[in-house]
PDB file of all heavy atoms in Angstrom:
ATOM      1  N   PRO A 104      -0.656   1.934 -23.913  1.00  0.00           N
ATOM      2  CA  PRO A 104      -0.764   1.910 -22.410  1.00  0.00           C
ATOM      3  C   PRO A 104      -2.211   1.968 -21.926  1.00  0.00           C
ATOM      4  O   PRO A 104      -2.443   1.602 -20.775  1.00  0.00           O
ATOM      5  CB  PRO A 104       0.072   3.112 -22.006  1.00  0.00           C
ATOM      6  CG  PRO A 104      -0.022   4.075 -23.154  1.00  0.00           C
ATOM      7  CD  PRO A 104      -0.095   3.197 -24.380  1.00  0.00           C
ATOM      8  N   GLN A 105      -3.150   2.511 -22.744  1.00  0.00           N
ATOM      9  CA  GLN A 105      -4.481   2.839 -22.174  1.00  0.00           C
ATOM     10  C   GLN A 105      -5.197   1.573 -21.628  1.00  0.00           C
ATOM     11  O   GLN A 105      -5.751   1.614 -20.534  1.00  0.00           O
ATOM     12  CB  GLN A 105      -5.304   3.517 -23.234  1.00  0.00           C
ATOM     13  CG  GLN A 105      -4.890   4.929 -23.551  1.00  0.00           C
ATOM     14  CD  GLN A 105      -4.832   5.774 -22.308  1.00  0.00           C
ATOM     15  OE1 GLN A 105      -5.487   5.601 -21.306  1.00  0.00           O
ATOM     16  NE2 GLN A 105      -3.941   6.848 -22.358  1.00  0.00           N
ATOM     17  N   PRO A 106      -5.208   0.424 -22.363  1.00  0.00           N
ATOM     18  CA  PRO A 106      -5.913  -0.729 -21.787  1.00  0.00           C
ATOM     19  C   PRO A 106      -5.272  -1.216 -20.463  1.00  0.00           C
ATOM     20  O   PRO A 106      -5.931  -1.693 -19.625  1.00  0.00           O
ATOM     21  CB  PRO A 106      -5.782  -1.834 -22.911  1.00  0.00           C
ATOM     22  CG  PRO A 106      -5.479  -1.046 -24.129  1.00  0.00           C
ATOM     23  CD  PRO A 106      -4.694   0.163 -23.759  1.00  0.00           C
ATOM     24  N   VAL A 107      -3.946  -1.053 -20.357  1.00  0.00           N
ATOM     25  CA  VAL A 107      -3.248  -1.459 -19.152  1.00  0.00           C
ATOM     26  C   VAL A 107      -3.607  -0.497 -18.010  1.00  0.00           C
ATOM     27  O   VAL A 107      -3.928  -0.977 -16.882  1.00  0.00           O
ATOM     28  CB  VAL A 107      -1.725  -1.406 -19.350  1.00  0.00           C
ATOM     29  CG1 VAL A 107      -0.967  -1.651 -18.072  1.00  0.00           C
ATOM     30  CG2 VAL A 107      -1.308  -2.461 -20.411  1.00  0.00           C
ATOM     31  N   ARG A 108      -3.669   0.765 -18.276  1.00  0.00           N
ATOM     32  CA  ARG A 108      -4.023   1.746 -17.240  1.00  0.00           C
ATOM     33  C   ARG A 108      -5.466   1.573 -16.774  1.00  0.00           C
ATOM     34  O   ARG A 108      -5.830   1.944 -15.643  1.00  0.00           O
ATOM     35  CB  ARG A 108      -3.781   3.199 -17.713  1.00  0.00           C
ATOM     36  CG  ARG A 108      -2.310   3.471 -17.828  1.00  0.00           C
ATOM     37  CD  ARG A 108      -2.112   4.999 -18.068  1.00  0.00           C
ATOM     38  NE  ARG A 108      -0.751   5.193 -18.605  1.00  0.00           N
ATOM     39  CZ  ARG A 108      -0.455   5.919 -19.680  1.00  0.00           C
ATOM     40  NH1 ARG A 108      -1.494   6.483 -20.332  1.00  0.00           N
ATOM     41  NH2 ARG A 108       0.726   6.045 -20.061  1.00  0.00           N
ATOM     42  N   ALA A 109      -6.306   1.029 -17.657  1.00  0.00           N
ATOM     43  CA  ALA A 109      -7.693   0.718 -17.227  1.00  0.00           C
ATOM     44  C   ALA A 109      -7.682  -0.417 -16.179  1.00  0.00           C
ATOM     45  O   ALA A 109      -8.655  -0.518 -15.399  1.00  0.00           O
ATOM     46  CB  ALA A 109      -8.528   0.370 -18.464  1.00  0.00           C
ATOM     47  N   ARG A 110      -6.688  -1.248 -16.219  1.00  0.00           N
ATOM     48  CA  ARG A 110      -6.624  -2.353 -15.322  1.00  0.00           C
ATOM     49  C   ARG A 110      -5.849  -2.085 -14.082  1.00  0.00           C
ATOM     50  O   ARG A 110      -5.976  -2.763 -13.030  1.00  0.00           O
ATOM     51  CB  ARG A 110      -5.990  -3.582 -16.006  1.00  0.00           C
ATOM     52  CG  ARG A 110      -6.782  -4.063 -17.250  1.00  0.00           C
ATOM     53  CD  ARG A 110      -6.043  -5.167 -18.001  1.00  0.00           C
ATOM     54  NE  ARG A 110      -5.909  -6.391 -17.136  1.00  0.00           N
ATOM     55  CZ  ARG A 110      -5.077  -7.405 -17.475  1.00  0.00           C
ATOM     56  NH1 ARG A 110      -4.383  -7.357 -18.598  1.00  0.00           N
ATOM     57  NH2 ARG A 110      -5.017  -8.435 -16.705  1.00  0.00           N
ATOM     58  N   ILE A 111      -4.996  -0.995 -14.123  1.00  0.00           N
ATOM     59  CA  ILE A 111      -4.160  -0.681 -12.994  1.00  0.00           C
ATOM     60  C   ILE A 111      -4.420   0.778 -12.568  1.00  0.00           C
ATOM     61  O   ILE A 111      -4.055   1.730 -13.274  1.00  0.00           O
ATOM     62  CB  ILE A 111      -2.625  -0.785 -13.288  1.00  0.00           C
ATOM     63  CG1 ILE A 111      -2.337  -2.292 -13.774  1.00  0.00           C
ATOM     64  CG2 ILE A 111      -1.776  -0.442 -12.091  1.00  0.00           C
ATOM     65  CD1 ILE A 111      -0.890  -2.478 -14.176  1.00  0.00           C
ATOM     66  N   GLY A 112      -5.207   0.971 -11.499  1.00  0.00           N
ATOM     67  CA  GLY A 112      -5.557   2.282 -11.062  1.00  0.00           C
ATOM     68  C   GLY A 112      -4.406   2.849 -10.276  1.00  0.00           C
ATOM     69  O   GLY A 112      -3.665   2.146  -9.630  1.00  0.00           O
ATOM     70  N   MET A 113      -4.256   4.196 -10.283  1.00  0.00           N
ATOM     71  CA  MET A 113      -3.249   4.902  -9.550  1.00  0.00           C
ATOM     72  C   MET A 113      -3.748   6.119  -8.926  1.00  0.00           C
ATOM     73  O   MET A 113      -4.474   6.916  -9.487  1.00  0.00           O
ATOM     74  CB  MET A 113      -2.037   5.193 -10.460  1.00  0.00           C
ATOM     75  CG  MET A 113      -0.835   5.750  -9.715  1.00  0.00           C
ATOM     76  SD  MET A 113       0.739   5.571 -10.634  1.00  0.00           S
ATOM     77  CE  MET A 113       1.880   6.373  -9.486  1.00  0.00           C
ATOM     78  N   VAL A 114      -3.353   6.299  -7.623  1.00  0.00           N
ATOM     79  CA  VAL A 114      -3.766   7.507  -6.867  1.00  0.00           C
ATOM     80  C   VAL A 114      -2.538   8.173  -6.387  1.00  0.00           C
ATOM     81  O   VAL A 114      -1.590   7.543  -5.827  1.00  0.00           O
ATOM     82  CB  VAL A 114      -4.649   7.132  -5.665  1.00  0.00           C
ATOM     83  CG1 VAL A 114      -5.128   8.402  -4.955  1.00  0.00           C
ATOM     84  CG2 VAL A 114      -5.871   6.377  -6.148  1.00  0.00           C
ATOM     85  N   PHE A 115      -2.433   9.496  -6.600  1.00  0.00           N
ATOM     86  CA  PHE A 115      -1.220  10.219  -6.292  1.00  0.00           C
ATOM     87  C   PHE A 115      -1.312  11.074  -5.064  1.00  0.00           C
ATOM     88  O   PHE A 115      -2.396  11.166  -4.449  1.00  0.00           O
ATOM     89  CB  PHE A 115      -0.927  11.237  -7.459  1.00  0.00           C
ATOM     90  CG  PHE A 115      -0.790  10.517  -8.831  1.00  0.00           C
ATOM     91  CD1 PHE A 115      -1.919  10.265  -9.609  1.00  0.00           C
ATOM     92  CD2 PHE A 115       0.431  10.161  -9.302  1.00  0.00           C
ATOM     93  CE1 PHE A 115      -1.795   9.658 -10.853  1.00  0.00           C
ATOM     94  CE2 PHE A 115       0.559   9.532 -10.505  1.00  0.00           C
ATOM     95  CZ  PHE A 115      -0.560   9.295 -11.303  1.00  0.00           C
TER      96      PHE A 115
END
Side-chain angles (χ1 to χ4, degrees):
Q105 289 306 332
V107 174
R108 289 193 198 127
R110 298 175 65 191
I111 303 178
M113 186 159 179
V114 182
F115 301 87

